[in-house]
Amino acid sequence: MTKILVVDDERNICDLLKVALEQIGCAVETTTEGAQAIGWAQQNKYDAIFLDIKMPGMNGVEVLKN
């Protein structure tokens, strides 16, 4: 099963992507926090990460660098 992490500060975007990806058989985790995404990515293996670039606090570029 394809495991995907969705990171976006807008909860509705996370929810929309989660529903769509689960319908095609993916396992999906979502978060609205960049720091949490880093922690999860360090502890889990994801096949893909959907990462919003413009987020308050830690933006997507900062997340990507970590």
Side-chain angles (χ1 to χ4, degrees), residues 19-61:
V19 168
L21 292 165
E22 286 179 340
Q23 286 180 351
I24 60 170
C26 298
V28 182
E29 294 180 327
T30 66
T31 182
T32 59
E33 300 291 329
Q36 186 173 40
I38 292 169
W40 287 358
Q42 290 173 341
Q43 295 177 3
N44 299 285
K45 182 178 186 226
Y46 294 100
D47 297 296
I49 299 176
F50 288 82
L51 178 59
D52 185 10
I53 297 300
K54 293 185 178 182
M55 296 188 297
M58 182 179 287
N59 68 43
V61 174

